[in-house]
Amino acid sequence: MTERLERLLLLLKMKNMFQGLFFRRKVLSILLSCVSLSAHAQYLPVKIDMVTPVQYLKKDGHLKILSYIKLGGKDVVGSKKLCVDGYPVDIEKTVTDDSLLVWLPMIGEEKRIEVYVGKRKLTDYMFTPVIPADWGYFKNGTIHIIQSSHQDIAWMDTPDYCREDRIDKIIIPALDMMKEDENFTFEMEQTLNLMEFLEEYPERKDEVIQRYKEKRFAWGATYNQPYEGLSTGEQLVRQAYYGRKWLRENLGCDDRVANNMDVPGRGLQMPQILSKSGINNLFISRMREGLYEWNSPDGSKVLTFTPGNYGWATSQWKFFEKGAVIAFNKLHHRSQLWSDYFKKRNIPPHYGILMSCDATRPVNYQKIIKEWNSIVEQAEVPLPRLENTTAEEYFNIVNVGNAKFEQVMGERPNLWLYIHGPAHYEATRYKRDAGVLLPAAETFTSINNLIDGDIAKYPRNLFDRAWMASIYPDHGLGGKNGDITDHIFEDSLKVSRDMGKALLNNALKSIADKVTANVGDIVVFNDLTWKRTDIANIAVSSANYIIKDDEGRIVPSQIIKEGDKLILCFLAENIPSLGYRTYTLARGQQKCKGQENVCRTANSYDNKYYKVLLGDGGIVSLYDKDLKQELFHTSKFRGGDVIEAGYTGFGAGEFTKIQELAPGDISSLSSLSGIWNMVEDGSVFSVYENIQQTTNTKIIQRIRFYHLLKQIDFNITLQDFNGAHNRQYRITFPLNMREASVAYEVPMGILEVGKDEMKTIPGGWSVWGSYTNHPEDSHPREIQNFMSASGNGFGVTMASCVAVGDWIDPSREQADYPILQGVLLSSHKSCHDEGNWYHQTGTHQYKFSISSHKEGWKEGYHFGIGANHPLIAIKKETKGKLLDRQKSFFSISDSLVALSLMKKADNDDNGIIIRLTEMEGVDKNISIKLPFTVQKVIRTNLIEDEQEEINISGDIITLKLGHHAIETFKLIL
C-alpha cells in the first residue's frame, strides 16, 4: 500500500502537467485500491468444515448442515454476527471466542460468509456448500452401486485357502444380507465360484436360484477370468459352455455379463465369441473409464464397461465410508467429469460405480442409500438418486434408445504375457497340448460313435471334466504361497492333456480296428481338414522294419531312439482330410541310406529345397533354391541361435507396458565357439547337434533337416537349468528382410501387426501410472501356433511350441530387420510381495519349425498349423472289414476355413455340432463333404442354442460364411 500512496503523491505533484478526466480517474483508482487493501489486510483467515458426526436439518425450506467456523488471529473477542449472502444467521455458542457453530446451507452454489464483531468485519469468505447444486446431465439420473468381489482362483493365497475364504467370508455373508435386506445386490464374477459353493453347500441351491431370479446375486457368464491370448479358440468358447450354458442347464438361470477385470489385454475375436454365445456385455478394467462397443472383425460386438481400475472406488476414493453427505461431496466430481460424455452420446444419465477389490467382503450400503435418497427428496434442487444394481441391470439400463457408444475394434495385446508361458512353460505346454488333443478326441469319438450307429454313447461327462481342467487355471498364477498354486494349476492342465490323449487314442484305435487291413498294419490319422504329407512315428521292437504303402512300395523311413524305445519315422504322403491312410509294417531293411539330391558335410547340408551352412550358434546361411533368396541375416544372431538375457521385471503387476530386458545384459550362443556333429542320418532326415555349457544351463541345439519336406526343425534343450533369478532365454530367426509385414495366429483368427490392434491408447490406470502406450507398439505377443514375416519377395513361417513370440530385436543395439523369436523361459518373481520365484529349475525341451514360401501369411498357414498337429499312427490290433484302407471323414472346399469342433450335440442324440471359422477375411460359400447324410442343418450360437434352420440336406452341404466369422451348425441325422 505504501508504494501506491507514493505513486499518488507523485501524481499530485504533477497535477499542473496533467489536467482533466484522465488524472481524476487515475487518482480515484489508486485511492480505492488502497482502501480495499487496507480493509482486506484486516480480514482474518478462516476455516469452515462440517461438524462430525454430520448433522443436518431442513430449516426455512432449505437443508442446513451444522458447520464449524474457525477464525485465525487473536483479536476476535466479543459478540459476533454472521451473514450468509448478506442475511444474518443464528450462531450457536462455543467454548472459545475464535470458533463458531452455525447452520449453513448444505446444498447449493457458492455463498458469501461475513463475520462481524460489532461493526468490525472479521472475515469475508466465499463458502461452497458440501453438496454442490450443479450435477449436470446426471441431475435427474441415478448413480448405481455395482458391488462385487474380484476373485482370482488363488494369488491372495492357495486355491484351498481362497476357496474357503470366499465361501465363508464373502458368499455366505452376502446371501445372509439378502435375507435381511431385499434391496441388497452382489456378484462374484465367475461361475467357478458358484460351482465351488454348491459343492460345499448343495442344500442352498434353491436359495441361490431364487436370488438369481430376483436379479440380486449374479455369478458372471464365464467359467473364470482367463488370459484370452493364451487359450485356444475352443478353450475360450468353453468359458461360455461352463459359464452361461452351465447356469441355464443346472440352475435354470441366465447371465449375460462376462467379467475379466484384471488382465490388461483383450483378444481379437473375444467379442465375437461372447456375442455368439449370447453374452452381450463385457465388464473389464485397466482401460479408460467409459462405455464402449468392442467389435470383432466380423462385426460382432459386446457392450463393454470399464471403471478405469476395478479397485479404485473401494481402496482409494472410498466413496461410501463416511455417510451419504460425504458421498455426495466425493461423487460430485464424477458427475462433472462424465456429464458431457454421457450427454453427447445420448447415454441415459445413469452412472455406474464399481465397489470391488481383491477378495473384498460384502458391505450393505442400504443405510447410506436410504439417507442419500432422503436428501434427494428434501433438496430444493434436482439431485441424482442412489441404488444397488447388478452389472447386468446396469448394462440393460444404459443400452437403450439411440445411445451412441464409443467404438473399439482390434486386439489389445496382453501386457502380462510373461507370467504364463515363459514363467510356467511346462504347465503351458500341457494347456496347449490339451487344446489340440481335446477337439481331435471329440471329433474322432463322434465319428467312431456314428460308425457304430450309437451316437448317444458319446462320453460328455468325461469331455466336460477334461475341458474344465484345461481352463481351470485363471490369470492368478503365483502369488502368496504361489508354488502351491502353480503346482495345482499344472496338475490340472496335465490331467486335461492326459484325458485328451486317452480319449483320442481310444477313438482312433476303435476306428483303426474297423479298417479293412491286417493286424499290425499302421493307420495314420490326420486331424486337420486338408490333405497332408508329413512324418509319422510308430514304436517298433527292432530296427528291422520297413513301411509299405497301398501299392507295396517302400516308403522312406528311418529308426531313431527315444530313451529305451525304438521309433520308426516314415514319410506319410497325402493323408486324407480329417481321415486316415493305411500302411503295412513289414520286416526288412531300408535299402536307401540317403537321398540322391542330398549332400551333407560336417557343417553343411544341401537338398532340393535349401542350401545350409552351420556355424557358431546355429545356421549362418540358409538359401532357398526355389525362391532364390538368402533367408537369414546372420551378422548379429544366427538362425536358431539361443540368447540369454537379464529380465528384472514381473510377469503381471501394476506396470503400464511390457517391461523390457535389462539393457546390455544379453549374450548368445553365437558368441561361443560351437562344434556341430551329425548325430542322426537316414532316408528321411539328418540331425546336427551342438552342445554348449553356459553359466546356468547346458544348452543342446538339434537341427533336423528333412530330405523330402520343405521344413527345418529346431529342438532346443535347456538341460539342468539351475533356477538362476531374472534370466530369460529366447530362440532367434533373423530374417533378411526390410519393411517386413508380420502376422501371427490368435484364437480363431490371424492378427496382422500394425493393422489389427485397437487403434486408440487404452488409458485407464494402475498403481504405477496410466496405460498410455499404443497397442501396436506392444511386444512380445501371445501367439497360438505360428508367427510369420514377409518381405523382399519371400516369407518365413515359424511354428512354435511356446505361447509368446516376438519379431523385434531384443538387444540394445536394435536391428532394422525382423527377428522372429520364441520366448523359452523367464525366471522372474511373482509381483505379490510374498510371492514365489518362477525359478523353473530342471530340464526343458522346446521344438520350433520353419519353412519359407512366397510372401504372405496365407502361404505358410497350413505349415504353421500342421507343425503342432502331428500325424498319429495307430497299429491295428484286430482285423477289420468295415472301412476302406484310406478315407476322409470330413473335407471343406476352402482350406482357409478352420474346423475347430465336431461332436455330438449336448442335448440332442440326433445331432452333430460343427464349428467353422473363416480365417482369410473374405466372405465365401463353402461346400462340406460329410461321412453321413443329414436331414437338415440348423445354425446355432456357439453354445448350441438353435437360431435358424437352413434348407439343406444330403452328404454334401453348402454354407455361407462371412469374413472372419465363427459359425456353429447342428447337423440333424
Side-chain angles (χ1 to χ4, degrees):
M1 187 174 72
T2 301
E3 182 181 347
R4 297 193 180 193
L5 288 174
E6 288 175 353
R7 289 172 56 200
L8 177 60
L9 290 173
L10 179 61
L11 282 172
L12 289 172
K13 290 177 182 178
M14 298 172 63
K15 68 179 179 178
N16 293 328
M17 297 173 61
F18 300 96
Q19 299 292 332
L21 181 60
F22 170 78
F23 176 79
R24 291 193 296 273
R25 285 179 175 173
K26 193 66 177 176
V27 171
L28 180 60
S29 173
I30 293 174
L31 284 171
L32 287 174
S33 68
C34 290
V35 172
S36 177
L37 280 169
S38 177
H40 287 159
Q42 298 174 18
Y43 292 162
L44 301 178
V46 62
K47 180 180 179 182
I48 303 177
D49 206 349
M50 69 190 82
V51 172
T52 54
V54 174
Q55 301 177 49
Y56 60 90
L57 51 76
K58 194 160 189 177
K59 189 175 182 181
D60 301 326
H62 301 282
L63 284 170
K64 305 291 180 70
I65 188 166
L66 186 60
S67 302
Y68 173 82
I69 300 177
K70 175 72 173 179
L71 300 172
K74 298 179 180 179
D75 190 12
V76 294
V77 178
S79 179
K80 299 174 184 65
K81 181 177 75 171
L82 184 143
C83 294
V84 177
D85 282 352
Y87 293 95
V89 174
D90 292 338
I91 297 174
E92 297 192 11
K93 292 182 178 180
T94 59
V95 295
T96 60
D97 286 320
D98 63 351
S99 60
L100 309 174
L101 282 178
V102 61
W103 292 90
L104 293 178
M106 188 168 80
I107 303 170
E109 305 296 341
E110 282 189 335
K111 307 291 183 183
R112 186 175 187 179
I113 303 292
E114 299 169 291
V115 180
Y116 297 85
V117 172
K119 293 184 178 181
R120 182 164 67 92
K121 186 187 291 188
L122 297 179
T123 189
D124 194 335
Y125 185 82
M126 296 306 296
F127 159 75
T128 302
V130 66
I131 303 177
D134 180 17
W135 286 73
Y137 185 64
F138 296 104
K139 63 183 180 182
N140 291 309
T142 302
I143 294 174
H144 298 267
I145 298 175
I146 305 168
Q147 188 179 174
S148 72
S149 180
H150 175 66
Q151 294 288 322
D152 295 22
I153 291 173
W155 201 78
M156 301 291 287
D157 211 312
T158 66
D160 287 344
Y161 175 92
C162 291
R163 171 187 168 124
E164 182 179 338
D165 181 79
R166 60 179 155 257
I167 289 174
D168 294 340
K169 297 181 181 178
I170 301 173
I171 297 172
I172 289 176
L175 286 170
D176 291 344
M177 287 179 188
M178 290 176 183
K179 293 177 182 178
E180 300 169 0
D181 181 0
E182 63 182 13
N183 296 308
F184 178 69
T185 62
F186 196 75
E187 47 199 285
M188 284 297 292
E189 301 182 352
Q190 54 202 18
T191 53
L192 172 61
N193 298 156
L194 175 56
M195 294 177 184
E196 292 172 338
F197 177 73
L198 292 178
E199 183 180 326
E200 192 75 17
Y201 293 100
E203 70 277 9
R204 300 191 74 165
K205 181 177 179 179
D206 289 343
E207 180 185 0
V208 168
I209 292 172
Q210 182 62 29
R211 298 298 175 246
Y212 227 133
K213 292 184 175 179
E214 293 170 354
K215 300 184 183 300
R216 296 172 60 201
F217 205 140
W219 298 83
T222 58
Y223 181 69
N224 59 28
Q225 300 177 63
Y227 290 110
E228 294 167 11
L230 172 64
S231 302
T232 66
E234 274 303 315
Q235 285 169 336
L236 290 178
V237 173
R238 301 308 161 126
Q239 289 284 342
Y241 265 70
Y242 306 116
R244 181 172 183 243
K245 189 172 188 289
W246 184 90
L247 285 168
R248 293 162 69 202
E249 291 181 352
N250 290 274
L251 275 73
C253 301
D254 202 357
D255 202 307
R256 294 176 180 269
V257 179
N259 300 279
N260 206 335
M261 293 291 178
D262 211 2
V263 181
R266 294 278 78 76
L268 181 70
Q269 290 280 43
M270 197 64 191
Q272 183 175 184
I273 291 170
L274 294 174
S275 177
K276 290 185 177 178
S277 299
I279 302 168
N280 304 320
N281 308 300
L282 175 62
F283 205 162
I284 64 171
S285 171
R286 300 187 186 274
M287 179 173 164
R288 183 170 63 88
E289 183 174 351
L291 287 154
Y292 305 84
E293 284 182 336
W294 205 311
N295 297 261
S296 280
D298 75 311
S300 300
K301 59 190 176 185
V302 287
L303 183 56
T304 304
F305 174 52
T306 164
N309 185 292
Y310 70 90
W312 230 248
T314 299
S315 65
Q316 303 297 320
W317 295 329
K318 302 179 181 180
F319 289 130
F320 304 111
E321 277 200 353
K322 296 183 179 179
V325 174
I326 303 299
F328 264 112
N329 181 264
K330 288 186 174 184
L331 281 166
H332 177 257
H333 81 285
R334 309 307 297 170
S335 75
Q336 302 299 293
L337 284 173
W338 292 100
S339 279
D340 288 347
Y341 178 94
F342 276 69
K343 184 177 181 180
K344 179 181 178 181
R345 292 167 175 79
N346 294 317
I347 303 172
H350 291 263
Y351 185 74
I353 297 289
L354 175 63
M355 299 302 294
S356 180
C357 207
D358 294 343
T360 44
R361 301 340 188 193
V363 178
N364 192 347
Y365 295 110
Q366 191 57 37
K367 183 178 178 181
I368 292 175
I369 293 171
K370 184 177 180 180
E371 182 186 4
W372 176 297
N373 292 330
S374 174
I375 291 171
V376 171
E377 291 166 3
Q378 298 178 68
E380 56 272 25
V381 296
L383 299 173
R385 295 184 65 81
L386 184 65
E387 292 181 1
N388 280 320
T389 309
T390 61
E392 185 167 347
E393 283 186 287
Y394 181 69
F395 279 112
N396 291 338
I397 289 167
V398 296
N399 192 16
V400 296
N402 59 345
K404 299 177 182 178
F405 302 104
E406 286 190 78
Q407 299 297 305
V408 176
M409 179 181 287
E411 175 142 327
R412 181 186 181 187
N414 178 21
L415 303 185
W416 291 358
L417 75 179
Y418 279 145
I419 195 176
H420 51 65
H424 299 85
Y425 169 66
E426 300 298 335
T428 302
R429 182 167 60 88
Y430 294 142
K431 182 180 182 73
R432 288 166 64 89
D433 287 348
V436 171
L437 291 166
L438 285 172
E442 286 182 318
T443 297
F444 284 109
T445 299
S446 299
I447 290 170
N448 187 50
N449 294 160
L450 286 167
I451 295 170
D452 290 342
D454 190 4
I455 189 66
K457 70 178 182 181
Y458 177 84
R460 178 183 174 184
N461 288 340
L462 288 177
F463 278 111
D464 283 344
R465 280 180 53 203
W467 276 113
M468 279 193 269
S470 83
I471 63 174
Y472 171 71
D474 65 349
H475 63 281
L477 296 136
K480 183 178 180 180
N481 289 315
D483 51 346
I484 298 174
T485 298
D486 292 347
H487 177 78
I488 291 171
F489 281 2
E490 181 175 329
D491 184 64
S492 177
L493 296 172
K494 186 176 184 297
V495 166
S496 70
R497 191 279 308 266
D498 292 346
M499 290 186 70
K501 184 181 291 186
L503 287 162
L504 177 58
N505 284 340
N506 288 341
L508 296 184
K509 285 181 178 180
S510 182
I511 295 171
D513 283 342
K514 296 178 177 71
V515 174
T516 304
N518 295 321
V519 174
D521 282 355
I522 308 300
V523 183
V524 178
F525 288 90
N526 170 20
D527 70 329
L528 296 174
T529 54
W530 57 85
K531 187 180 291 187
R532 296 171 63 197
T533 295
D534 209 333
I535 304 302
N537 302 311
I538 191 75
V540 291
S541 58
S542 77
N544 298 317
Y545 280 100
I546 57 173
I547 292 284
K548 295 181 179 180
D549 64 15
D550 291 344
E551 297 179 5
R553 293 174 299 196
I554 296 176
V555 172
S557 65
Q558 73 185 74
I559 296 286
I560 63 171
K561 289 192 69 175
E562 289 185 357
D564 296 330
K565 294 182 179 179
L566 292 177
I567 305 296
L568 180 65
C569 306
F570 62 95
L571 185 69
E573 295 185 271
N574 299 318
I575 308 302
S577 163
L578 197 62
Y580 65 86
R581 184 179 179 184
T582 307
Y583 292 84
T584 299
L585 179 65
R587 290 280 184 175
Q589 290 284 340
Q590 181 70 254
K591 294 180 180 180
C592 182
K593 296 296 182 183
Q595 301 297 318
E596 292 181 358
N597 63 344
V598 176
C599 179
R600 319 156 181 83
T601 71
N603 67 334
S604 69
Y605 175 87
D606 194 322
N607 66 12
K608 68 177 183 177
Y609 304 112
Y610 296 119
K611 184 176 182 180
V612 186
L613 179 64
L614 295 169
D616 295 338
I619 294 178
V620 175
S621 175
L622 178 62
Y623 182 78
D624 186 309
K625 296 181 179 181
D626 293 332
L627 298 171
K628 296 179 173 55
Q629 290 278 358
E630 175 61 46
L631 302 180
F632 285 161
H633 189 304
T634 59
S635 61
K636 189 172 186 178
F637 300 118
R638 306 293 192 251
D641 210 344
V642 176
I643 63 173
E644 178 184 348
Y647 177 70
T648 57
F650 297 111
E654 297 303 305
F655 49 85
T656 57
K657 68 175 184 177
I658 296 173
Q659 294 169 291
E660 297 180 356
L661 302 183
D665 184 6
I666 185 169
S667 61
S668 64
L669 284 190
S670 55
S671 65
L672 304 174
S673 179
I675 300 175
W676 289 96
N677 294 297
M678 186 186 298
V679 294
E680 291 175 9
D681 190 38
S683 299
V684 180
F685 51 75
S686 300
V687 176
Y688 290 79
E689 181 180 77
N690 176 44
I691 301 175
Q692 293 283 1
Q693 180 65 56
T694 64
T695 302
N696 300 308
T697 185
K698 179 184 288 184
I699 301 176
I700 303 172
Q701 293 173 291
R702 281 196 163 203
I703 303 179
R704 177 184 284 188
F705 299 102
Y706 292 94
H707 307 323
L708 298 172
L709 297 176
K710 196 173 185 181
Q711 172 178 334
I712 304 173
D713 292 348
F714 296 79
N715 294 280
I716 305 297
T717 300
L718 302 182
Q719 184 172 301
D720 299 325
F721 175 60
N722 63 12
H725 292 171
N726 299 124
R727 308 313 296 164
Q728 187 175 116
Y729 293 86
R730 298 185 179 195
I731 188 172
T732 66
F733 299 99
L735 302 181
N736 187 30
M737 296 177 183
R738 295 292 188 274
E739 299 181 358
S741 61
V742 175
Y744 57 92
E745 187 193 8
V746 297
M748 293 180 159
I750 304 295
L751 186 146
E752 296 183 53
V753 173
K755 176 183 174 182
D756 295 323
E757 300 91 348
M758 63 182 293
K759 300 305 178 187
T760 57
I761 290 173
W765 61 90
S766 71
V767 174
W768 290 7
S770 298
Y771 297 99
T772 56
N773 276 50
H774 201 288
E776 75 174 45
D777 296 328
S778 184
H779 72 97
R781 302 280 181 90
E782 292 168 317
I783 64 174
Q784 291 286 301
N785 287 298
F786 70 86
M787 177 175 276
S788 182
S790 293
N792 286 45
F794 70 95
V796 172
T797 294
M798 174 188 76
S800 170
C801 73
V802 299
V804 175
D806 206 340
W807 67 99
I808 295 177
D809 182 355
S811 64
R812 182 169 50 195
E813 302 81 13
Q814 195 173 92
D816 61 355
Y817 47 85
I819 302 177
L820 297 185
Q821 300 152 68
V823 181
L824 309 179
L825 180 147
S826 187
S827 59
H828 52 271
K829 183 185 176 297
S830 167
C831 64
H832 194 293
D833 290 342
E834 300 177 63
N836 56 314
W837 281 90
Y838 307 135
H839 52 77
Q840 300 184 83
T841 303
T843 296
H844 308 282
Q845 296 179 321
Y846 307 84
K847 179 189 174 187
F848 296 82
S849 299
I850 65 164
S851 184
S852 52
H853 44 76
K854 296 177 182 179
E855 287 197 65
W857 65 263
K858 286 180 277 189
E859 299 292 333
Y861 172 80
H862 300 101
F863 164 78
I865 301 294
N868 283 327
H869 287 252
L871 299 177
I872 302 175
I874 300 293
K875 183 181 290 188
K876 282 179 59 62
E877 296 178 354
T878 61
K879 187 174 182 178
K881 296 182 180 180
L882 189 60
L883 298 175
D884 293 338
R885 287 181 64 86
Q886 64 175 311
K887 185 176 183 61
S888 170
F889 293 113
F890 189 102
S891 62
I892 306 175
S893 59
D894 190 321
S895 63
L896 288 173
V897 171
L899 174 75
S900 64
L901 172 70
M902 179 179 176
K903 73 175 189 68
K904 176 193 169 296
D906 278 351
N907 299 309
D908 188 341
D909 287 345
N910 206 35
I912 294 292
I913 296 293
I914 63 171
R915 184 148 33 248
L916 305 170
T917 303
E918 199 290 306
M919 302 296 289
E920 188 178 5
V922 178
D923 295 341
K924 55 186 62 169
N925 293 319
I926 62 167
S927 62
I928 298 175
K929 179 71 172 70
L930 299 166
F932 47 81
T933 299
V934 301
Q935 304 304 313
K936 62 180 177 180
V937 177
I938 300 172
R939 186 188 303 273
T940 74
N941 67 7
L942 267 61
I943 57 174
E944 305 183 26
D945 296 332
E946 295 185 1
Q947 294 184 326
E948 172 194 10
E949 185 172 328
I950 304 172
N951 187 25
I952 303 174
S953 61
D955 62 353
I956 299 177
I957 60 175
T958 301
L959 299 171
K960 290 183 178 181
L961 286 181
H963 64 88
H964 302 100
I966 307 166
E967 298 292 356
T968 308
F969 301 92
K970 182 190 288 187
L971 312 180
I972 304 300
L973 304 177

